[in-house]
């Protein structure tokens, strides 16, 4: 099946209409150039991520770690630094499309299958859904995979490096700081008080663990 990609770039009409097109056009993946005229690519990323779970790949000339972490923290799934090899971009797009399809294909199944409950949070691995106190949460693929992995291995401490290798893989261009960003985003959604997390705990000097009792 042919995939639909939406590319925000310097020649796109960056308006509310363009953003609406990106989130309502039934696209499978969004390529987002951060260097946009008259608008911050980071702001666009935030708006898009709030409205859709499809993969977002940042295309950027900014290679500083702080810029990459900021984009990932706003919900981007990956980044490609300019100038880039077109073959690398195609490979990354295919990898994210395959991962997204794998995660979402279970959405056709009944939701009465396996469920993981932690405090008032319910995780449905097959249908890729997360609820808190009965309210469905938007959980992009990396966040869902990370939460699911921790929930499937409760009360075990995992280092940031181990989590990075497990969720992102060895071929991903990044570092373990990405884990910290995503843990923060998950906490904002599932914790009653993200500043005092009770579900995903930090074990200083060791990593993170999911408290099964919440």
């Amino acid at each position: 099946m042919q995939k639909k990609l939406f590319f925000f770039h310097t020649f796109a009409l960056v308006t509310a209409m363009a953003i609406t097109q990106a989130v309502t056009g039934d696209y499978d993946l969004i390529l987002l150039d951060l260097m946009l005229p008259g608008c911050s690519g980071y702001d666009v990323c935030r708006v898009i991520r709030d409205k859709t779970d499809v993969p977002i790949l940042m295309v950027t000339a900014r290679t500083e770690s702080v810029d990459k972490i900021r984009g990932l923290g706003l919900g981007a799934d990956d980044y490609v630094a300019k100038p880039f090899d077109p073959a690398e971009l195609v490979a990354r797009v295919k990898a994210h499309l395959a991962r997204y399809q794998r995660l979402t294909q279970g959405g056709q199944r009944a939701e009465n299958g396996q469920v993981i409950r932690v405090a008032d949070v319910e995780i449905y691995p097959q249908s890729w859904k997360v609820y808190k106190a009965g309210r469905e949460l938007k959980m992009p693929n990396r966040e869902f995979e990370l939460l699911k992995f921790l929930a499937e291995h409760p009360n075990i401490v995992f280092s940031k490096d181990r989590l990075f290798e497990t969720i992102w893989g060895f071929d991903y261009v990044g570092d373990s700081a990405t884990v910290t960003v995503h843990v923060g985003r998950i906490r904002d959604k599932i914790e009653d008080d993200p500043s005092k997390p009770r579900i995903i705990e930090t074990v200083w000097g060791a990593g993170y663990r999911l408290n099964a009792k919440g």
Side-chain angles (χ1 to χ4, degrees):
M1 179 181 298
Q2 185 175 4
K3 299 298 183 180
K4 293 176 63 181
L5 311 182
F6 190 91
F7 191 9
F8 268 102
H9 56 88
T10 52
F11 299 103
L13 178 60
V14 187
T15 63
M17 184 180 298
I19 294 175
T20 299
Q21 176 69 18
V23 299
T24 62
D26 192 27
Y27 293 100
D28 297 285
L29 182 142
I30 294 173
L31 293 172
L32 174 61
D33 193 324
L34 293 184
M35 305 300 289
L36 299 172
C39 182
S40 168
Y42 294 114
D43 291 337
V44 172
C45 181
R46 181 189 298 109
V47 172
I48 293 175
R49 178 51 74 218
D50 286 343
K51 296 181 181 299
T52 180
D53 293 328
V54 301
I56 300 175
L57 271 65
M58 300 184 301
V59 180
T60 176
R62 299 176 179 177
T63 57
E64 296 295 328
S65 294
V66 64
D67 294 314
K68 297 173 182 177
I69 291 174
R70 181 183 178 190
L72 294 171
L74 292 173
D77 295 277
D78 200 354
Y79 53 84
V80 180
K82 294 188 290 187
F84 54 81
D85 183 343
E88 177 190 357
L89 178 61
V90 170
R92 286 179 178 270
V93 167
K94 288 183 176 179
H96 282 282
L97 288 173
R99 177 186 294 270
Y100 185 67
Q101 183 176 9
R102 250 190 343 264
L103 288 171
T104 56
Q105 63 186 1
Q108 301 299 322
R109 304 170 186 162
E111 210 172 278
N112 58 0
Q114 179 188 6
V115 57
I116 304 173
R117 293 184 174 87
V118 183
D120 62 347
V121 175
E122 295 182 337
I123 305 164
Y124 291 84
Q126 289 188 332
S127 58
W128 199 39
K129 292 180 181 292
V130 180
Y131 295 86
K132 179 175 176 60
R135 179 175 62 87
E136 185 176 357
L137 305 175
K138 283 187 174 296
M139 195 73 66
N141 51 1
R142 299 288 191 182
E143 293 176 26
F144 179 83
E145 286 186 281
L146 181 55
L147 175 61
K148 174 175 172 288
F149 178 80
L150 290 171
E152 289 176 337
H153 303 84
N155 304 318
I156 299 176
V157 179
F158 293 97
S159 69
K160 288 190 290 185
D161 287 336
R162 168 68 188 284
L163 291 171
F164 182 80
E165 293 169 2
T166 300
I167 305 303
W168 281 265
F170 290 99
D171 58 345
Y172 183 87
V173 181
D175 54 46
S176 59
T178 303
V179 175
T180 303
V181 173
H182 282 72
V183 167
R185 288 179 58 84
I186 294 171
R187 282 173 170 168
D188 287 341
K189 298 174 182 179
I190 68 173
E191 300 282 359
D192 292 331
D193 183 355
S195 66
K196 298 178 181 178
R198 299 181 61 185
I199 298 178
I200 299 181
E201 301 174 329
T202 299
V203 181
W204 296 108
Y208 299 104
R209 72 175 166 217
L210 185 135
N211 178 10
K213 296 182 179 180

